[in-house]
Each structure stands twice: as C-alpha cells, then as structure tokens.
Amino acid sequence: MIFRNIFLTSLIFTSAAAFGSLPDHIGLVRGLCPTLSPLLVKKSALELSSSNACEAKFTGQILLSCKAIDCHTLVQSYKKNIQGRSGSVVGE
Amino acid sequence: MKSLIVLLVLLSTYSTARAQSTVEERMAKLEEKIEELEIDRSFDKVKLSGTFIGYFERINSRSKDANTDAITKDRGDVASMHLGINIDFAISENFNFYSTLAMGKLLNNDGRKGIEESSYRSIQGSYGYQGSDAKFDVAYLNWKMLDNRLNLAFGRMTTRGGPPLNQLDALYRSGTYPRFGYNAIFDGAAAVYDFKSLLPTNMNFKTRLFYTPFYFINTNDRSKPAEDSQGNKVKRRSDQVAILNEWDLNDSKIARKISLYSMLWYYDNYYDEAEGYQSSTRPGVEVYMALSHTLYFGLEDIANTGLNFSWSYLLVDSKVSGEEHDKSDSSLFNINYAFKNSWVVGLEHISTDKNFYLDEWSYLQFNDFYQRSNNNGQHYFFTVPFSHNQVLRFGMYDYRAGISEANLYLYTERTQNYYTSYRVDF
C-alpha cells in the first residue's frame, strides 16, 4: 500500500511538475498560506479565468482566510503559471 | 424476553457490521477510481494550447519625396490572421520539448512578394504574412539542472516578443528578448542560470546566454559554400551571440515589480545575397559587424495603483559593407494603466535617430512604427479582456518618420493607422 502510494505520487509529480503550471500556482499560494488546502486552491484556480474572480466563492474564501495574499498576487500567479505557457521564456 | 434481547443485539451487531462493510467497500471503490485517474493523468505528458489573432488595420499615410517634394497618399485597409498551435511534451521531470506550429496570412491571399533570402525567412518565421504554409516558430528542447538553477536549451527558441509587448494585451511575459532589442526568432543553443538562491527572497537575477549562428550554403550544391553575385565564396557560418542579464525586485514600496534588463548581442561577417548589399572590399559580406546594447527598465503596478511604465533604450554600433561605423541610440517608452477589471489603456512613444536599426522581423502590425529611423511617434491603445482568454484591442499608430539612408527610405511621412486586434488563447 505504502509502495503503491509512493509510486503513484512519483508518477503525478513527474507529469504535473514538468509543465510548471497548476502545481506551481498551488505552491506559490500555499507558500504564502500554508494552511490552505490544495483542493481549495484548485477550485479557486477555476474561478480565476473570469474578470470578477476575486469576488467568487472559493477565491473569496482564500482572500478572507489568508491576509498574506491579495487578489493581484493570485491573478498574476494564475496568468503566469496557468494561463501563460511554460517555455514562452527560454530558461523559465 | 431474554431471547428477544439477544436477537436484537445480534441483529444490531449484524447491521453495524454490514454498514461498516458497505462503507469500507465504497471507500475501496473510491480509492480504486482515484488511483485510476491518477495513473491516467501520469500518462498525460502532452500539453496542447494555442493562440488565434485576427487583425484589421486602416491605413492612412502621407509621403513626401525628399528630392521632388511630390506628395503620395496611401489609404486603404488590410486584414489578416495568425494562428499558433503549441504542442509541448514533458519528456521527463526535467526535460521538456516545446513547439509551436503557426501560420500568418492576409485574408484570401496566400503569400506575398517579400524577403526571400534564406536567413530572413528563417528569422521571420510565420510573422511575415508569407502564406498559409505552417511553420515551426518554436521547436526546442529544454533541460533543467542543479535544482532548476540551470537551464540548457537547443533548437528554435522563443526569442521574440519579450517585454513590454505582453502588456499591450494585459498578459504575463510571453517572450525572451526585450521587444526593442531584437524582435526575431532564432535557432541555436542557450544556457540560463538563476541566481535566486544567492539573493534575498524578493529579488531575482538571471543570466541568459545565446549562441545563434547563421548558416549559408550553396542553393544548388549543398556540399559547396555559397557564392555571391561575383562568384566569391561566402563563409558558411556567421556567428551571433547574445547575453541577457535580468534583475527583478518584487514587492517594494515603489512598485510591485522593478525590472532592469541589459542585453548585448553581436554578429559579424553576415552575408546578404541581395544585389547591391555586398561589399566591394570584402567579398561575400554585407555586415562586417553589429553590436547592440538594449536596456530595459520596467515598473509594474507602481505604488499599487495599476500603473505600469517601461523605458527601452537601444544602442547600436554597426559597420556595413566597408563603410564607417554607424552608431545610433533610440528609445521606446510605454506607459499603461491596468484597471481592476483588467482593461488596459496605454501609450507608447518612440524616438529614433537617423541611423536607427531594429531587427523587427516577427511583427503582426502592418505599419512600420517600430522600424523607422528619424521617427517620432505615438501608439495609443485600449485593451478589453473579456470572457475566457479573449482580448480585444483598439489602437492607433501616429508617427512622422524622416529620411534614412540606412533603411533606404526617401520620404518624410505622416502615418495615422487605426487597428483592431482580436486575440483568443486556448
């Protein structure tokens, strides 16, 4: 069971980390707000594509519960890590 | 009575055990489903994305011949499209392949007369409205090493479209070379080192080295070197190097991000097969040497107001076909305000001298605002991001450009072109 979980975790890390997208966004957010659950950050990421994302449900929860992060930082991280394309800048 | 109680206890125990068993069965099935999803995802090593841009420009230009004073007016409009499909592979954890297959064309016009030289077509990529043939604008491998501090790249790289070009459409940085430094697509190798681990947490410093040589071969016999119009042999390789140093300071009181970039590029012994460009004293060479220094200074979100400012300064020293060194220095300013709802309103101001030269090959606009020497002009723009990943931009280029021998322009002009750009990222 333990070895299976380690195997699965390594597979996920291999595939998800290579493009530096959602995991990087989650890493940045949870780096500033360690108590936030990854699932909440992912749900917020779905909201961040809209212009009023910071008023949306899950993004609002993040901003309410963690003062270390603001709307601008969330949106910029989304633009860089999810909306933007890994490889657009050589060496990033 | 006693039997009834025993029976009830037995039934209760059985129900609890049965319920527990049902919960455990459901948990096991859920775990199995999650495991299946995770495994499926682990094989998903391909990422597809793309960009489609529709562009319309209304041309309103007035030219004056410096020799005859004759006035020429040019009015009309042009419409085009540009499509890029990104196909990226995560080969392994630290090894990626990035590619973009793209095409750009005028509406119902498949190709145009234009630059034919082999190196020009390469550095232009899909951006010169050459037709609907798809081209690889990007095709490069990238290796991450030393805990992501060192990146090595090889192939056709994302050199074009650096800052502040992304700010026109309220996007994150989407290219490498500063926009006013070298707007072209180059092939070669690169090494990028990130010094972040040696610096305070709010500071970044990166050095990016590029080696992007030009190669020339005989069009009829690839085993032989190319020859110029006089039959002189042309060197097979013209070396070109660039070094880009980038310093960023984040979350200061002045601005959310302060950027200071410095880029040097150099090439020599460049061959141009166009007649009239070849040197009489050094056969097979058009440009002896060219050395450029670009400085980019940027302030993003000044004092948390949404205001952005950048100044790009280009200093070029070149020696063409045995003539004296031509030196020039020119500036591009960009100031824009990003509203909370992502709208952007902004202004670019350009000021170039008589020897100005910018390698402006991978362009999308029809006017030559960014290329003209003796230019003094403005670019006004208003950007509206709406829906999901869609951006509409309205703008006007208004500039006067003077005579320039370097660019062989003979006219003094006033140009006022209006445009609309519709961009979709998917």
Side-chain angles (χ1 to χ4, degrees):
Chain A
M1 177 76 170
I2 295 171
F3 290 119
R4 184 191 72 176
N5 287 343
I6 292 172
F7 171 68
L8 289 172
T9 305
S10 67
L11 279 179
I12 293 163
F13 183 77
T14 301
S15 62
F19 285 124
S21 52
L22 184 57
D24 277 2
H25 174 71
I26 295 172
L28 182 141
V29 176
R30 296 191 74 227
L32 293 168
C33 311
T35 57
L36 293 177
S37 78
L39 187 57
L40 175 62
V41 179
K42 285 181 191 178
K43 288 178 179 177
S44 157
L46 286 173
E47 295 171 342
L48 286 171
S49 60
S50 61
S51 57
N52 59 344
C54 292
E55 283 85 44
K57 181 180 176 183
F58 300 109
T59 308
Q61 280 180 19
I62 290 176
L63 295 173
L64 216 61
S65 62
C66 178
K67 298 304 173 192
I69 197 166
D70 60 12
C71 177
H72 181 94
T73 305
L74 270 176
V75 171
Q76 287 300 306
S77 174
Y78 170 81
K79 280 186 175 181
K80 178 186 176 186
N81 293 308
I82 300 176
Q83 192 180 53
R85 180 202 176 192
S86 175
S88 292
V89 182
V90 179
E92 291 294 300
Chain B
M1 186 63 180
K2 212 184 253 184
S3 306
L4 184 61
I5 293 171
V6 167
L7 185 63
L8 284 172
V9 168
L10 281 172
L11 274 173
S12 170
T13 307
Y14 174 76
S15 296
T16 305
R18 180 90 177 124
Q20 184 68 21
S21 169
T22 305
V23 168
E24 283 173 357
E25 279 172 12
R26 288 177 65 189
M27 286 292 293
K29 280 185 182 172
L30 269 173
E31 278 184 2
E32 205 174 294
K33 278 202 169 187
I34 290 172
E35 188 180 348
E36 198 179 319
L37 281 170
E38 286 169 344
I39 291 173
D40 284 343
R41 193 177 159 209
S42 72
F43 284 103
D44 187 15
K45 292 184 182 295
V46 180
K47 185 176 178 184
L48 294 176
S49 60
T51 303
F52 181 87
I53 299 173
Y55 188 84
F56 176 87
E57 187 165 331
R58 179 84 186 158
I59 295 166
N60 182 13
S61 179
R62 192 172 74 98
S63 307
K64 181 180 176 183
D65 191 306
N67 296 321
T68 65
D69 285 344
I71 300 289
T72 307
K73 292 181 183 176
D74 181 14
R75 288 204 172 86
D77 54 69
V78 282
S80 70
M81 66 176 84
H82 186 272
L83 167 68
I85 305 283
N86 306 317
I87 309 168
D88 301 332
F89 292 85
I91 300 170
S92 68
E93 185 183 337
N94 294 316
F95 188 28
N96 291 292
F97 175 70
Y98 302 105
S99 66
T100 300
L101 202 55
M103 70 96 177
K105 64 190 299 291
L106 302 173
L107 297 192
N108 301 310
N109 178 314
D110 201 6
R112 56 186 277 265
K113 279 190 179 178
I115 307 293
E116 294 180 358
E117 292 84 350
S118 56
S119 57
Y120 289 164
R121 287 178 67 85
S122 176
I123 64 178
Q124 201 163 44
S126 67
Y127 286 91
Y129 303 110
Q130 300 294 330
S132 60
D133 295 336
K135 294 180 188 296
F136 275 100
D137 283 345
V138 178
Y140 81 93
L141 295 164
N142 190 86
W143 295 266
K144 292 180 190 286
M145 300 174 184
L146 303 178
D147 197 23
N148 292 345
R149 293 196 305 276
L150 176 65
N151 276 262
L152 299 178
F154 174 74
R156 191 161 172 77
M157 297 179 285
T158 49
T159 49
R160 71 164 298 275
L165 184 65
N166 53 294
Q167 292 184 6
L168 300 184
D169 287 325
L171 299 172
Y172 199 80
R173 182 179 178 181
S174 51
T176 310
Y177 289 173
R179 192 254 179 275
F180 205 53
Y182 220 164
N183 196 26
I185 302 168
F186 288 109
D187 313 326
V192 180
Y193 194 84
D194 187 350
F195 294 89
K196 189 175 172 59
S197 60
L198 303 173
L199 301 169
T201 52
N202 64 338
M203 202 180 286
N204 294 320
F205 185 79
K206 287 190 173 110
T207 293
R208 307 184 201 264
L209 298 171
F210 295 86
Y211 177 62
T212 55
F214 295 96
Y215 282 97
F216 307 103
I217 59 169
N218 191 300
T219 52
N220 297 315
D221 184 348
R222 64 180 183 273
S223 67
K224 292 183 178 159
E227 293 178 355
D228 65 14
S229 58
Q230 278 84 47
N232 299 301
K233 286 180 185 170
V234 174
K235 261 183 80 173
R236 278 201 172 86
R237 189 182 76 235
S238 167
D239 291 317
Q240 178 173 246
V241 295
I243 175 166
L244 172 58
N245 290 307
E246 301 177 3
W247 176 82
D248 294 301
L249 179 67
N250 299 307
D251 300 320
S252 76
K253 286 179 184 172
I254 298 171
R256 199 176 286 269
K257 185 175 179 183
I258 301 174
S259 301
L260 186 60
Y261 301 169
S262 165
M263 176 167 148
L264 276 170
W265 59 251
Y266 173 84
Y267 63 84
D268 62 14
N269 295 310
Y270 180 77
Y271 167 65
D272 189 319
E273 62 191 0
E275 208 171 310
Y277 281 1
Q278 290 159 34
S279 169
S280 57
T281 57
R282 191 181 294 188
V285 171
E286 182 227 352
V287 182
Y288 286 1
M289 59 76 68
L291 174 66
S292 154
H293 190 190
T294 302
L295 281 176
Y296 173 80
F297 172 69
L299 298 170
E300 291 179 37
D301 196 14
I302 298 170
N304 289 327
T305 59
L307 189 64
N308 302 310
F309 168 81
S310 68
W311 172 42
S312 302
Y313 177 71
L314 176 62
L315 186 66
V316 180
D317 181 5
S318 64
K319 191 174 177 186
V320 178
S321 299
E323 294 174 2
E324 294 296 318
H325 279 261
D326 284 336
K327 295 185 181 181
S328 85
D329 62 299
S330 305
S331 291
L332 176 70
F333 296 92
N334 181 313
I335 183 163
N336 63 83
Y337 182 77
F339 292 85
K340 293 293 180 197
N341 57 7
S342 297
W343 290 11
V344 179
V345 59
L347 161 72
E348 287 188 309
H349 173 77
I350 192 167
S351 175
T352 65
D353 65 13
K354 67 179 177 64
N355 292 322
F356 171 72
Y357 178 75
L358 171 68
D359 270 296
E360 172 77 358
W361 295 99
S362 52
Y363 51 82
L364 278 173
Q365 77 285 346
F366 283 95
N367 62 78
D368 52 5
F369 176 82
Y370 300 101
Q371 285 173 275
R372 293 298 299 273
S373 47
N374 274 337
N375 193 1
N376 197 323
Q378 284 75 40
H379 166 215
Y380 308 93
F381 60 95
F382 175 56
T383 302
V384 182
F386 68 98
S387 187
H388 178 63
N389 294 339
Q390 295 179 66
V391 177
L392 200 54
R393 172 157 46 98
F394 305 94
M396 182 179 86
Y397 289 94
D398 183 0
Y399 57 104
R400 297 174 190 273
I403 300 166
S404 166
E405 288 183 15
N407 285 327
L408 302 180
Y409 289 110
L410 301 176
Y411 310 121
T412 302
E413 296 190 46
R414 175 83 188 267
T415 298
Q416 289 177 304
N417 286 9
Y418 297 86
Y419 72 89
T420 302
S421 169
Y422 174 58
R423 175 186 174 125
V424 180
D425 291 294
F426 49 86

